[in-house]
Amino acid sequence: MPLLSISYVNFRNIQNETLDLNSREVFFVGENGQGKSNLLESVYYLAYGSSFRTRSDAEIIRSGESAFSLRTLFRKGEDDADSVFISLESSGAATKKKIVKNGKSIKDRKELVSTMPCVLFCHDDLEFAVGEPERRRFFVDQCLSMFDMYYIDLSRNYRKVLKSRNLSLKQQQYGMLDVYDLQLCEFGLQIQKKRNDAIFRFNQIFATLYERITGIDNVSIRYAPSWRTDSAAIPQKEEVMEILAGKREADRAMATTMSGPHRDRIKFVRNGADFVATASTGQRRLLAILLRVSQSIFYKQATGKNPILLMDDVLLELDPEKRQHVTALLPDYDQLFCTFLPGEPYERYAKSSTRVYKIENGGWNEIQKRQ
């Protein structure tokens, strides 16, 4: 079911007040720097309470202002809709964020996740293929966090223990390390098991898609957990405690925790060899895009629900034939938002019900009416 509308106050450089989104497909067409990505960012922000473009909420406020707000309705059924309101006030270095869902204040952003599940396609996705290990871990964690609230809590608890353990190592106060190791082991093993299961299921989707588009077979994702033994992909609790004990001196010397889920590796392989190292730029870019397609399908299989797809200029990076193949592979979705430059053949992807807006200087005018 689609969003009905979004109302804006001082969000980025957006000039208009309300955007009508009551269509299954919505296209934003405009030159670079006119505000197309800002509109996708607003949808994402309402879905997750955070931006995909910055970690500083204050940067989202329109220049010269001290606060912004967003408001939307998301239809759940013919006569039922969720309302979400988010506001942010900034005063110097301090910010105050307020999130309200259906008239009730939310203290934890995870309560938003199931309301408007969005899958974002953007240029930075290439980092999942060629970036640092942290970015690949982030992608897998994001896939799980879209529907598994327990995984969100697990990740938070693990990071909290890891921070405390690293502080003890840095300050050379080792009295609590045994306690921290037990907690790290408890939360970390659960994270690794969930990651391992997710990647196994994910491979069943991704490998098939990649071969279908490129003709290259046997490309898959390999999970290499930091805690591992020769006997199994995921070790037992006693084995992890032995690993942590064996690395204790190295941890002290480096003043940080050298093993655990925060150091897991995720690789793309073909017939056992590193695929990314020899892949062309086009093959890497397609890999990143198909990861997002797979994420959408994975979410659908895990929940039975359709996601919202946000596609920020990603079709630009493919030749016309690949564009058609990728769009044909998109799973069922509640709503699709795409950005295009004026010269792109967006009409080729539009339907009779698609809303098409021309974006200029943070404002918009509808250039294709729904029929």
Side-chain angles (χ1 to χ4, degrees):
M1 297 292 181
L3 278 75
L4 301 179
S5 65
I6 297 181
S7 298
Y8 300 91
V9 176
N10 296 333
F11 186 90
R12 294 284 190 185
N13 70 333
I14 294 177
Q15 303 298 324
N16 296 24
E17 294 182 353
T18 303
L19 177 61
D20 185 358
L21 302 173
N22 193 12
S23 177
R24 194 162 180 262
E25 290 86 20
V26 181
F27 292 174
F28 302 127
V29 182
E31 300 288 352
N32 290 327
Q34 298 302 303
K36 303 190 302 296
S37 295
N38 293 347
L39 296 171
L40 294 193
E41 182 182 27
S42 69
V43 177
Y44 190 94
Y45 202 95
L46 284 160
Y48 297 118
S50 63
S51 169
F52 64 85
R53 301 168 74 189
T54 178
R55 293 185 179 181
S56 173
D57 286 331
E59 292 182 6
I60 299 172
I61 303 173
R62 182 186 299 169
S63 178
E65 303 293 340
S66 60
F68 79 81
S69 67
L70 295 169
R71 186 188 303 273
T72 193
L73 285 174
F74 182 75
R75 182 185 288 132
K76 296 189 295 183
E78 289 300 323
D79 301 311
D80 190 16
D82 281 324
S83 65
V84 177
F85 171 79
I86 303 178
S87 64
L88 183 86
E89 297 179 4
S90 178
S91 177
T95 59
K96 181 180 179 181
K97 182 187 291 186
K98 182 179 182 181
I99 303 176
V100 178
K101 177 180 176 180
N102 296 333
K104 180 181 178 181
S105 293
I106 289 177
K107 301 301 181 183
D108 193 327
R109 288 191 298 112
K110 74 177 183 179
E111 296 179 52
L112 276 180
V113 170
S114 62
T115 307
M116 291 164 40
C118 291
V119 174
L120 171 72
F121 296 70
C122 68
H123 179 77
D124 290 344
D125 293 346
L126 185 59
E127 294 181 7
F128 300 145
V130 301
E132 297 297 320
E134 178 183 5
R135 296 300 296 159
R136 298 182 184 183
R137 290 193 297 268
F138 171 83
F139 177 77
V140 174
D141 290 344
Q142 187 185 67
C143 290
L144 285 163
S145 297
M146 285 183 65
F147 64 89
D148 190 340
M149 299 299 102
Y150 183 61
Y151 189 78
I152 295 175
D153 290 334
L154 270 179
S155 299
R156 289 174 175 175
N157 289 333
Y158 179 84
R159 289 194 297 269
K160 183 178 179 180
V161 174
L162 180 64
K163 182 178 180 180
S164 296
R165 190 178 191 273
N166 285 342
L167 183 61
S168 294
L169 290 167
K170 185 176 181 180
Q171 295 177 343
Q172 298 183 358
Q173 298 176 354
Y174 306 130
M176 290 289 293
L177 287 184
D178 288 342
V179 174
Y180 292 146
D181 283 2
L182 282 169
Q183 295 174 334
L184 208 69
C185 175
E186 176 187 352
F187 298 132
L189 270 180
Q190 293 182 72
I191 288 173
Q192 289 189 334
K193 288 176 181 177
K194 283 183 173 290
R195 284 179 177 172
N196 189 62
D197 291 345
I199 290 174
F200 175 79
R201 294 166 57 192
F202 207 89
N203 268 327
Q204 296 174 337
I205 304 167
F206 172 76
T208 300
L209 292 181
Y210 200 83
E211 182 177 1
R212 188 182 303 175
I213 292 289
T214 65
I216 302 174
D217 61 359
N218 297 325
V219 176
S220 62
I221 306 170
R222 174 181 292 172
Y223 180 42
S226 174
W227 295 331
R228 60 183 183 274
T229 64
D230 295 335
S231 58
I234 307 298
Q236 299 298 312
K237 178 179 178 180
E238 295 78 12
E239 294 172 315
V240 171
M241 294 303 294
E242 289 181 6
I243 292 171
L244 287 169
K247 293 182 179 292
R248 180 75 63 87
E249 289 304 315
D251 290 351
R252 287 181 177 179
M254 301 299 294
T256 191
T257 304
M258 300 296 292
S259 67
H262 62 291
R263 293 185 177 272
D264 287 351
R265 296 277 178 162
I266 296 165
K267 305 175 182 179
F268 299 96
V269 299
R270 182 171 186 252
N271 298 325
D274 186 339
F275 175 70
V276 173
T278 58
S280 68
T281 300
Q283 289 169 341
R284 293 174 178 179
R285 172 55 63 188
L286 195 57
L287 186 150
I289 292 174
L290 291 180
L291 279 176
R292 287 301 198 187
V293 175
S294 300
Q295 185 182 42
S296 307
I297 298 172
F298 179 78
Y299 174 81
K300 169 73 173 181
Q301 290 180 352
T303 66
K305 300 177 181 178
N306 295 329
I308 295 172
L309 305 184
L310 309 177
M311 305 189 73
D312 194 11
D313 285 345
V314 292
L315 294 179
L316 272 173
E317 298 156 357
L318 301 176
D319 61 53
E321 183 179 357
K322 291 288 194 304
R323 291 185 192 186
Q324 291 182 347
H325 286 320
V326 169
T327 53
L329 290 176
L330 291 178
D332 288 337
Y333 49 81
D334 268 350
Q335 203 161 14
L336 170 66
F337 296 89
C338 288
T339 62
F340 296 93
L341 291 172
E344 291 186 83
Y346 61 86
E347 300 91 345
R348 184 180 302 171
Y349 311 106
K351 302 178 181 179
S352 61
S353 61
T354 302
R355 301 190 85 109
V356 182
Y357 293 92
K358 180 181 180 182
I359 311 302
E360 190 172 12
N361 295 323
W364 53 80
N365 290 297
E366 190 166 5
I367 57 178
Q368 177 173 317
K369 300 290 186 180
R370 292 186 304 161
Q371 299 179 5

